[in-house]
Amino acid sequence: MTTALITGANKGIGYETARQLAARGITVLIGARDADLGRTAADKLKAEGADAIFVQLDVTDEQSIARAADWIGTEYGVLDILVNNAAIGGFVDGDNNPSSTTLATLRRVYETNVFGVVAVTNAVLPLLRRAAAARIVNVSSEVGSIAMMTDPDSPMWPMAAIPYPSAKTALNMITAMYAKEFWDAPIKVNAANPGYTATDFNGNAGFRTPAQGAEPSVHLATLPADGPSGQLWGYHMGGDVEYGPLPW
């Protein structure tokens, strides 16, 4: 049995990630803060033939994280895949320029998008270490790429905001540091770029479907032994190839 925990899996990219992993015969643990939404998502996947189980998990609540890690350890004893998908956004201060940013917004975004990733990862690391070949996927974004955001020829150039982009930049560094720690271990750690995906997160304004947005996470979650670690990998907007490594 291969087990995968996906945070924020009750909808959007997280749900599609769970669905695609389940289609590969993987037991998917549907991490969700809201119990009703989480159970509904798990039941929907089960109706499609998936081995899906809801796990109550609020990535901003250390007790919730600890309970989830303990439950997974008791039920399965091991975790093969962790997809840190849960994230928040859409908070705009004033005109959304850096000079309008408030600390309250920064703290709220970082609590979920940065601190929550470290908290969940460290809580389940003992279970990931027991796996023959564990995979950690942090769902990031091209807006976290400093190289792309500062290139006037990049599609990212028009954006100038701090909270969400800087949180994803921090997540990219977190990914790289975990990859370094486990460089000689059978644990691969990568960041996924889903591209601009239509979900509730952005008012369904994206041009990629949730199923497409999940593809990079699924790819990184199922890497072979000779696959990369410590990369930002995923969709290339306007590139010559659809998927591949992106610059930090």
Side-chain angles (χ1 to χ4, degrees):
M1 178 185 293
T2 301
T3 57
L5 171 64
I6 305 100
T7 66
N10 58 282
K11 62 179 180 178
I13 294 173
Y15 178 84
E16 283 296 331
T17 300
R19 186 181 64 79
Q20 292 178 31
L21 289 175
R24 297 181 179 221
I26 296 171
T27 296
V28 291
L29 307 179
I30 308 301
R33 179 177 53 187
D34 186 291
D36 290 336
L37 295 177
R39 290 192 182 96
T40 297
D43 289 344
K44 184 177 178 181
L45 288 170
K46 287 178 184 177
E48 298 175 0
D51 185 10
I53 299 93
F54 162 67
V55 179
Q56 198 284 325
L57 177 56
D58 181 346
V59 303
T60 67
D61 184 333
E62 291 185 72
Q63 292 184 342
S64 172
I65 295 169
R67 285 194 300 268
D70 288 344
W71 183 86
I72 296 169
T74 299
E75 292 294 319
Y76 299 98
V78 63
L79 183 65
D80 300 280
I81 298 166
L82 169 63
V83 181
N84 285 306
N85 170 81
I88 60 173
F91 300 103
V92 177
D93 294 321
D95 57 9
N96 205 34
N97 281 320
S99 56
S100 300
T101 304
T102 66
L103 292 183
T105 295
L106 275 177
R107 291 188 178 105
R108 186 171 183 182
V109 172
Y110 271 62
E111 192 67 39
T112 297
N113 297 11
V114 180
F115 307 149
V117 171
V118 175
V120 172
T121 301
N122 287 349
V124 300
L125 264 177
L127 304 176
L128 290 164
R129 290 179 185 274
R130 296 175 191 170
R135 303 289 181 260
I136 300 173
V137 181
N138 296 327
V139 180
S140 188
S141 170
E142 64 261 77
V143 304
S145 166
I146 294 177
M148 295 182 69
M149 291 289 278
T150 56
D151 179 359
D153 296 324
S154 166
M156 304 297 106
W157 176 255
M159 179 182 291
I162 289 180
Y164 186 76
S166 70
K168 291 304 183 182
T169 303
L171 180 60
N172 290 345
M173 180 59 79
I174 287 167
T175 301
M177 294 301 101
Y178 275 114
K180 285 177 65 176
E181 179 177 358
F182 303 124
W183 198 256
D184 296 320
I187 302 176
K188 295 186 183 298
V189 190
N190 291 285
N193 175 42
Y196 192 33
T197 303
T199 66
D200 290 347
F201 189 86
N202 55 34
N204 294 297
F207 55 82
R208 285 170 56 77
T209 67
Q212 290 173 323
E215 288 173 356
S217 293
V218 172
H219 172 79
L220 294 172
T222 56
L223 285 173
D226 61 351
S229 189
Q231 284 191 0
L232 172 60
W233 191 98
Y235 180 70
H236 279 234
M237 185 186 298
D240 295 331
V241 295
E242 184 177 15
Y243 293 121
L246 288 90
W248 291 121

